[in-house]
Amino acid sequence: MTKPSKEVEKIEQLLADPWAVDIQDIEEERANLRFLKATEGTPVTEFKDAKEVADWLNDPDED
């Protein structure tokens, strides 16, 4: 038998005991998604430490 995914486990946990779910994880995920949506068209150079990120992304030796 295959192991259920994290999403399936979370749904099963919610169905079994709705008050046992860690709401903080869900809220953090929602905040990350809101941030990604709000900054969708923003170039990486606009963010803090953008040069280091751009250098890392453009490094031809990096796998």
Side-chain angles (χ1 to χ4, degrees):
M1 187 180 273
T2 62
K3 184 178 175 187
S5 69
K6 281 188 168 190
E7 290 83 10
V8 171
E9 289 177 4
K10 191 176 279 189
I11 291 169
E12 287 176 347
Q13 183 183 12
L14 270 171
L15 292 171
D17 186 4
W19 299 109
V21 176
D22 185 5
I23 304 268
Q24 183 175 354
D25 288 342
I26 296 169
E27 290 301 318
E28 287 173 2
E29 187 174 333
R30 289 178 69 204
N32 287 336
L33 291 174
R34 281 193 303 269
F35 174 77
L36 289 173
K37 191 179 258 186
T39 59
E40 183 176 14
T42 306
V44 69
T45 56
E46 298 295 319
F47 295 102
K48 180 181 174 193
D49 299 325
K51 180 166 178 6
E52 290 83 359
V53 172
D55 290 346
W56 176 74
L57 290 172
N58 295 322
D59 185 1
D61 296 328
E62 190 69 33
D63 289 333

